[in-house]
Amino acid sequence: MSRVSLTRYLVEQQREHGHIPSQLRLLIEVVARACKHIAISVNKGALGEVLGSADTENIQGEVQKKLDVISNEVLIEANEWGGHLAAMASEEMDSIHVVPHRYPQGEYLLLFDPLDGSSNIDVNVSIGTIFSVLRKVGHHRGVSEEDFLQPGRAQAAAGYCVYGPQTTLVLTVGEGVAMFTLDRETGSWVLTQDRVQIPADTKEFAINMSNLRHWAAPVRQYIDECLAGKDGPRSKDFNMRWVASMVADVHRILTRGGVFLYPWDQREPTKPGKLRLMYEANPMAFLVEQAGGMATNGEQRIMDIMPTALHERVSVMLGSKNEVQRVTDYHRQAA
Ligand code: AHG
Ligand code: MN
Ligand code: MN
């Protein structure tokens, strides 16, 4: 059987659906190439002196790891000269990075979490890169943060790369979800699964249980019922997984189903959640919906939230449709 590369997949998508303009194709290829570079650094580990802290802080007050900084630089350098982008935004940069004037300005905006799951870098557990692509709307000259403040449903493409036992790129351009495995011998991304579908039901949930005492009542109710197992109202036993890399948890859900929750909690009542809307929740919500799943903040569809700031946070519930529907219903009943 002939192998389908990422390039061929994109060319065929462009031909069949005509909605992947060449700038978007280039953008995705460039991001995929950057992820290969990041994968090489990740794999070197201690040998490449990429482990440990960079001793700097990002705008969210988190200490940056060396790989957070390296991955951010790799993505920026790869993407700024191709003519496909107007600007980029990242978890690791306070404000947007406009493409320098010496390069042509493209029509797309790229957002990324360069290294997701930073607490797992030094312990050799799966980590990843998450990205989201928006179009710059309007014909005004220049680009500002306001251009990025679009709801997730406006995304032109989204995806992630997971650096795990295999290096896998997962992508949507709005026509389903495809997975590509990195063939290290040829350096090529090979299509290994197309039209990914998340089963509507599941017996597996992912949540950081150490926060249990801080959760709101609807989340507690949902998890209590899962924990009650066969004898409880759900009449089935549930399993639990928590990798603490959103990329790895979402990858498991896209592969075999499940539900992922990082809900609002009472520790900081004014903070909507931990995860970031624009470069964590939105791209993952796009992938999950494209795979037949559901993603909400307990009240509304994640992709319908109108962002007001680049680094805005959000409560996240995503995965198997019937479970996300259930926990969202509990929130609505409590409101
Ligand atoms: P990041 O490493 O990009 O800051 O993201 C970490 C996020 C996410 O990947 C994961 O689901 C969550 O933080 C884990 O949080 P806890 O450590 O609170 O479990
Ligand atoms: Mn992250
Ligand atoms: Mn990160």
Side-chain angles (χ1 to χ4, degrees):
M1 201 193 83
S2 75
R3 305 204 315 176
V4 175
S5 66
L6 174 66
T7 304
R8 179 165 171 187
Y9 174 86
L10 293 172
V11 168
E12 287 177 356
Q13 284 281 317
Q14 182 174 21
R15 258 188 226 143
E16 277 167 39
H17 307 290
H19 71 275
I20 311 187
S22 47
Q23 278 197 7
L24 181 56
R25 247 179 64 201
L26 176 63
L27 189 164
I28 293 167
E29 298 240 31
V30 171
V31 169
R33 197 178 324 129
C35 288
K36 265 191 244 177
H37 287 207
I38 297 170
I40 289 166
S41 289
V42 167
N43 290 150
K44 280 188 180 149
L47 300 177
E49 294 179 23
V50 297
L51 304 185
S53 167
D55 295 321
T56 46
E57 268 190 14
N58 66 15
I59 192 170
Q60 359 230 347
E62 298 160 344
V63 175
Q64 293 175 305
K65 296 283 170 64
K66 282 184 192 159
L67 264 178
D68 290 320
V69 177
I70 293 168
S71 307
N72 193 59
E73 281 167 6
V74 167
L75 280 157
I76 288 177
E77 278 167 25
N79 276 288
E80 65 179 6
W81 48 268
H84 52 287
L85 283 185
M88 292 174 252
S90 160
E91 179 190 346
E92 306 304 342
M93 298 190 293
D94 300 5
S95 46
I96 64 166
H97 176 91
V98 178
V99 165
H101 289 306
R102 60 184 182 278
Y103 303 121
Q105 283 244 339
E107 58 176 304
Y108 288 98
L109 304 170
L110 175 65
L111 296 107
F112 44 83
D113 175 355
L115 210 291
D116 176 65
S118 301
S119 74
N120 282 325
I121 297 171
D122 294 353
V123 294
N124 201 357
V125 170
S126 293
I127 49 183
T129 296
I130 310 173
F131 65 95
S132 162
V133 183
L134 294 166
R135 247 175 246 103
K136 186 184 160 225
V137 282
H139 294 290
H140 53 286
R141 282 171 68 84
V143 54
S144 69
E145 192 169 312
E146 278 71 58
D147 291 304
F148 283 80
L149 303 181
Q150 304 178 35
R153 62 172 184 271
Q155 290 171 104
Y160 64 78
C161 179
V162 56
Y163 313 108
Q166 303 105 43
T167 299
T168 309
L169 182 79
V170 179
L171 173 72
T172 184
V173 290
E175 288 288 331
V177 176
M179 294 187 178
F180 303 84
T181 305
L182 180 61
D183 179 340
R184 286 180 183 274
E185 276 137 50
T186 60
S188 136
W189 293 105
V190 181
L191 180 67
T192 41
Q193 213 189 328
D194 201 359
R195 290 182 282 275
V196 172
Q197 280 293 313
I198 302 174
D201 292 298
T202 182
K203 291 176 167 186
E204 200 162 61
F205 66 87
I207 192 165
N208 184 337
M209 287 292 291
S210 70
N211 298 327
L212 183 147
R213 69 190 184 285
H214 306 296
W215 296 335
V219 175
R220 275 192 194 222
Q221 183 193 343
Y222 175 76
I223 297 295
D224 279 349
E225 290 178 2
C226 293
L227 295 174
K230 260 204 177 85
D231 307 324
R234 303 299 308 275
S235 312
K236 59 180 181 182
D237 290 333
F238 278 78
N239 186 26
M240 193 201 89
R241 286 287 185 272
W242 184 253
V243 184
S245 293
M246 188 192 202
V247 157
D249 282 310
V250 170
H251 193 65
R252 184 188 58 255
I253 289 170
L254 283 168
T255 305
R256 69 174 187 211
V259 57
F260 170 97
L261 298 100
Y262 211 121
W264 169 92
D265 71 45
Q266 288 157 9
R267 280 171 298 177
E268 289 178 70
T270 55
K271 191 166 138 182
K274 175 180 180 177
L275 298 174
R276 278 60 52 114
L277 173 62
M278 302 216 56
Y279 41 80
E280 289 179 319
N282 271 340
M284 292 313 202
F286 193 14
L287 289 163
V288 163
E289 285 197 9
Q290 283 290 316
M294 188 172 169
T296 77
N297 66 353
E299 276 143 35
Q300 65 178 136
R301 184 180 176 223
I302 297 262
M303 288 204 288
D304 282 340
I305 298 172
M306 188 64 209
T308 54
L310 208 50
H311 299 288
E312 172 169 340
R313 295 176 192 260
V314 65
S315 185
V316 175
M317 296 157 207
L318 60 76
S320 291
K321 202 171 199 165
N322 293 340
E323 295 300 312
V324 179
Q325 187 63 61
R326 176 181 285 267
V327 69
T328 304
D329 287 345
Y330 291 179
H331 281 80
R332 287 183 183 148
Q333 287 154 16

